[in-house]
C-alpha cells in the first residue's frame, strides 16, 4: 500500500489544525523550538569540539551564533538598552529575571564575552542540549543538596576571579510568569560579596503579550531589555547580603513593571496580569 497519500493527507490535516486552532499553533511552535534546540546543539557541539577540543568558555561564542538566529524563526525582536554596561573587562555577577524556556534566546542576545551561566544539574542530562551546555563551561549545581551547591559556588568564585569570568544567574531560582518578580535567593549575592565583584542587573519585559502557556498563545512580539548600572560590593560582608539583595530586587522590579507596560509589537500591552488578545 502506498504511504505517500496518507502522509500527504496527515500533513495537510496538521497544517489545517495549525491554521484553525490556537492550541495547535502553540504546540507546533513549542515542538519547533525544542527541535531547533536539539539540532542546533548537535551541530554546535561538533563545531565546538573541532574548534576548541573540549569544555571552555570560548565555546559560548559559537553557541551564541546559533541561538541568536532563533528569533527570526519566531518573529521576535529584542530592543536592548544599556548593553555597553555588560562589556567590562573584569569579573562580575549578572542577574536577570527568569520567565520561560524562551529566556535562552534573550540571554544570548545580551551575553557578553567570557560569560557563563549557573544551571540546575538536571539539565546536563538533556542529550545534545546538556552536552553543549557542558562544552560552553556552564556550572551545574544540585539544588537538592545544599552542601554540594555551596561547594560548587565556592569553586565558581575561585574560577571567575582566576579566569576573568562573568557569571549569569537567575536569582528567582525558577521560571516565573506571574507578571511580577519572585523573592530572590541568596546565592548570587553571596557569590558577589565573596569575590568582591559588582552585580549587574538585567531586566527582560514580560512575555505575556505574545507568549502565554496558560492561554496557548505564541505569536510574534518585541522584548524590551534594560541593563542597569552595576551595584558595587567592595567592602561588603555576608551581613550585607539581605540589604544588597533587597536593593537589587527593588531596582529590578521597578524596571520590570515599567518596561512591561510598554506597548508590544502585536498591539497588546504587556502589563502584569494582562491577558493579551490575538
Amino acid at each position: 500500500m502506498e504511504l505517500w497519500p496518507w502522509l500527504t493527507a496527515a500533513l495537510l490535516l496538521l497544517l489545517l489544525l495549525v491554521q484553525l486552532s490556537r492550541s495547535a499553533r502553540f504546540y507546533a511552535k513549542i515542538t519547533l523550538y525544542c527541535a531547533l534546540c536539539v539540532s542546533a546543539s548537535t551541530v554546535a557541539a561538533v563545531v565546538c569540539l573541532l574548534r576548541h577540543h573540549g569544555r571552555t568558555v570560548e565555546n559560548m561564542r559559537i553557541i551564541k551564533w546559533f541561538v541568536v538566529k532563533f528569533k527570526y524563526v519566531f518573529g521576535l525582536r529584542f530592543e536592548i538598552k544599556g548593553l555597553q554596561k555588560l562589556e567590562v573587562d573584569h569579573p562580575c555577577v549578572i542577574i536577570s529575571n527568569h520567565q520561560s524556556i524562551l529566556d535562552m534566546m534573550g540571554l544570548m542576545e545580551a551575553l557578553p564575552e567570557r560569560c557563563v551561566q549557573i544551571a540546575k544539574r538536571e539539565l546536563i542530562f538533556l542529550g545534545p542540549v546538556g552536552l553543549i551546555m557542558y562544552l560552553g563551561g556552564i556550572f551545574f549545581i544540585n539544588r537538592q543538596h545544599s552542601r554540594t551547591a555551596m561547594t560548587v559556588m565556592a569553586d565558581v568564585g575561585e574560577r571567575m576571579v582566576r579566569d576573568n569570568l562573568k557569571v549569569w544567574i537567575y536569582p528567582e531560582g525558577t521560571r516565573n510568569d506571574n507578571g511580577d518578580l519572585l523573592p530572590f535567593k541568596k546565592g548570587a549575592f553571596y557569590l558577589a560579596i565573596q569575590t568582591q565583584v559588582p552585580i549587574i542587573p538585567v531586566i527582560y519585559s514580560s512575555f505575556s503579550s505574545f507568549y502565554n502557556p496558560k492561554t496557548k498563545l505564541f505569536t510574534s512580539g518585541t522584548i524590551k531589555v534594560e541593563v542597569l548600572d552595576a551595584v558595587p560590593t567592595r567592602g561588603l560582608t555576608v551581613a550585607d547580603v539581605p540589604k544588597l539583595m533587597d536593593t537589587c530586587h527593588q531596582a529590578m522590579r521597578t524596571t520590570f513593571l515599567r518596561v512591561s507596560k510598554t506597548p508590544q509589537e502585536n498591539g497588546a500591552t504587556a502589563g502584569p496580569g494582562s491577558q493579551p488578545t490575538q
Side-chain angles (χ1 to χ4, degrees), residues 97-99 172 175-182 203-209 211-212 214 252-261 269-275:
N97 54 316
H98 190 18
Q99 299 182 68
E172 292 173 286
R175 296 172 191 162
N176 167 42
D177 61 355
N178 69 359
D180 205 339
L181 298 188
L182 295 174
I203 299 89
Y204 294 83
S205 62
S206 173
F207 293 176
S208 62
S209 68
Y211 178 82
N212 189 331
K214 296 176 183 177
M252 291 179 67
R253 182 174 186 268
T254 299
T255 304
F256 173 75
L257 295 177
R258 172 172 54 79
V259 299
S260 295
K261 291 180 180 178
T269 301
S274 64
Q275 292 297 325

Side-chain angles (χ1 to χ4, degrees), residues 6-259:
W6 293 101
L7 291 175
T8 303
L11 180 59
L12 291 174
L13 179 59
L14 178 61
L15 292 175
L16 181 61
L17 284 173
V18 168
Q19 290 298 318
L20 296 179
S21 168
R22 186 156 94 169
S23 293
R25 286 197 297 274
F26 176 83
Y27 287 115
K29 286 190 173 184
I30 289 296
T31 301
L32 175 60
Y33 180 76
C34 294
L36 282 174
C37 288
V38 172
S39 57
S41 295
T42 302
V43 177
V46 173
V47 176
C48 289
L49 289 171
L50 291 175
R51 183 78 179 271
H52 296 123
H53 312 294
R55 175 177 166 88
T56 170
V57 66
E58 299 301 329
N59 284 328
M60 292 307 301
R61 290 185 181 183
I62 297 171
I63 299 169
K64 179 176 180 176
W65 186 90
F66 280 91
V67 175
V68 294
K69 307 299 189 296
F70 287 15
K71 63 187 176 188
Y72 301 115
V73 177
F74 299 101
L76 300 179
R77 292 197 310 154
F78 291 87
E79 296 181 359
I80 306 178
K81 179 180 179 182
L83 186 61
Q84 72 281 357
K85 296 175 185 177
L86 296 175
E87 297 171 355
V88 295
D89 59 358
H90 55 74
C92 63
V93 173
I94 303 170
I95 57 176
S96 68
N97 54 316
H98 190 18
Q99 299 182 68
S100 77
I101 61 173
L102 304 183
D103 286 343
M104 181 182 65
M105 288 191 285
L107 183 149
M108 290 299 167
E109 286 289 325
L111 191 77
E113 291 290 320
R114 301 195 62 75
C115 181
V116 295
Q117 300 83 53
I118 290 181
K120 58 184 180 181
R121 181 174 174 269
E122 292 84 351
L123 295 178
I124 199 172
F125 301 109
L126 292 181
V129 176
L131 173 61
I132 197 62
M133 293 175 71
Y134 172 81
L135 291 175
I138 288 177
F139 295 102
F140 296 95
I141 62 171
N142 188 342
R143 296 187 298 187
Q144 306 302 318
H145 298 84
S146 58
R147 286 189 177 181
T148 303
M150 290 174 63
T151 301
V152 172
M153 291 298 280
D155 179 57
V156 171
E158 294 178 3
R159 290 274 305 278
M160 68 185 295
V161 173
R162 184 185 70 215
D163 299 336
N164 190 25
L165 298 177
K166 305 174 184 71
V167 177
W168 193 299
I169 301 176
Y170 296 114
E172 292 173 286
T174 188
R175 296 172 191 162
N176 167 42
D177 61 355
N178 69 359
D180 205 339
L181 298 188
L182 295 174
F184 286 170
K185 297 184 181 298
K186 296 179 179 180
F189 307 93
Y190 275 116
L191 178 63
I193 288 178
Q194 168 195 336
T195 53
Q196 295 288 281
V197 302
I199 296 175
I200 304 180
V202 180
I203 299 89
Y204 294 83
S205 62
S206 173
F207 293 176
S208 62
S209 68
F210 64 88
Y211 178 82
N212 189 331
K214 296 176 183 177
T215 62
K216 302 299 181 287
L217 175 71
F218 194 170
T219 64
S220 60
T222 299
I223 299 97
K224 306 284 185 179
V225 187
E226 192 161 323
V227 183
L228 303 186
D229 292 334
V231 180
T233 65
R234 188 166 297 280
L236 299 184
T237 66
V238 171
D240 298 302
V241 165
K243 182 178 180 181
L244 177 64
M245 187 164 55
D246 185 60
T247 297
C248 292
H249 189 278
Q250 288 190 27
M252 291 179 67
R253 182 174 186 268
T254 299
T255 304
F256 173 75
L257 295 177
R258 172 172 54 79
V259 299

